[in-house]
Amino acid sequence: MLVLLAMVTLLATPVWCVAIVVKLVSLALPGRRPGRARHTLRWFAVMTAAGALGLYLMAAGAVAYHVHDTRSGADSSPAHACRDGFPRDTVEHLVGHRASYVPPRFDCVRDDGTTYPSSGTYAWWNLLTVGFAVVAAGLAAAARYTRARRPSTQARDSRASETPVGGTPGAQGSGAQESGT
């Protein structure tokens, strides 16, 4: 099941990238409506969280694929992920593997009990997943701060709109402008 989700995520990744690029281009072009900062921050927070989820699903799908590979066929043990690309003396001492979905990783176990990672890509996937999640949380917090700050900005703007052009606040009825005519 995770392998299928990982494949769907892999196919959806180009669409995600195109959506990000289109949004960035639309932000750079002139003619944007003002006051859309909160909406933009929330949109990027959701897209970054979707990126983190996609990275996690791809890593977990790779682990599920390797686990399935060790249970299927005559040449399944030790796992191909532990044999392919490793020195012969390392492969001769393999006795099994350890799979983990949180965080996603697939480790190879030697006969002396030591382990080594089957691939360095799991470390990158995990690092990028955490990075995307932290950025998504930061963007969501910024969107919330922008939302919480908005009423005070509106109050300040409404006070500024009451100020007559060329005058000071409260000078409307005092005759300060009429003295110059």
Side-chain angles (χ1 to χ4, degrees), residues 98-139:
R98 289 186 192 146
S100 171
Y101 292 100
V102 180
R105 68 176 191 232
F106 190 82
D107 293 333
C108 307
V109 180
R110 296 183 194 161
D111 55 5
D112 61 356
T114 60
T115 63
Y116 63 93
S118 64
S119 173
T121 58
Y122 291 112
W124 283 104
W125 273 334
N126 291 333
L127 182 66
L128 286 172
T129 301
V130 169
F132 271 58
V134 167
V135 169
L139 287 170

Side-chain angles (χ1 to χ4, degrees), residues 69-86:
D69 190 38
T70 61
R71 296 178 184 167
S72 304
D75 189 31
S76 61
S77 183
H80 287 279
C82 296
R83 289 186 283 168
D84 299 340
F86 290 100

Side-chain angles (χ1 to χ4, degrees), residues 39-168:
H39 171 74
T40 303
L41 285 172
R42 281 193 312 196
W43 189 87
F44 277 110
V46 168
M47 292 302 282
T48 308
L53 179 64
L55 284 167
Y56 172 77
L57 286 175
M58 284 192 276
V63 170
Y65 173 77
H66 289 305
V67 168
H68 175 73
D69 190 38
T70 61
R71 296 178 184 167
S72 304
D75 189 31
S76 61
S77 183
H80 287 279
C82 296
R83 289 186 283 168
D84 299 340
F86 290 100
R88 184 176 176 90
D89 59 334
T90 302
V91 174
E92 288 176 357
H93 298 285
L94 286 177
V95 293
H97 66 276
R98 289 186 192 146
S100 171
Y101 292 100
V102 180
R105 68 176 191 232
F106 190 82
D107 293 333
C108 307
V109 180
R110 296 183 194 161
D111 55 5
D112 61 356
T114 60
T115 63
Y116 63 93
S118 64
S119 173
T121 58
Y122 291 112
W124 283 104
W125 273 334
N126 291 333
L127 182 66
L128 286 172
T129 301
V130 169
F132 271 58
V134 167
V135 169
L139 287 170
R144 184 174 177 101
Y145 172 73
T146 303
R147 178 184 222 182
R149 206 186 72 183
R150 193 173 179 110
S152 64
T153 306
Q154 287 175 344
R156 184 179 54 218
D157 291 343
S158 68
R159 283 192 307 256
S161 66
E162 292 173 5
T163 304
V165 177
T168 58

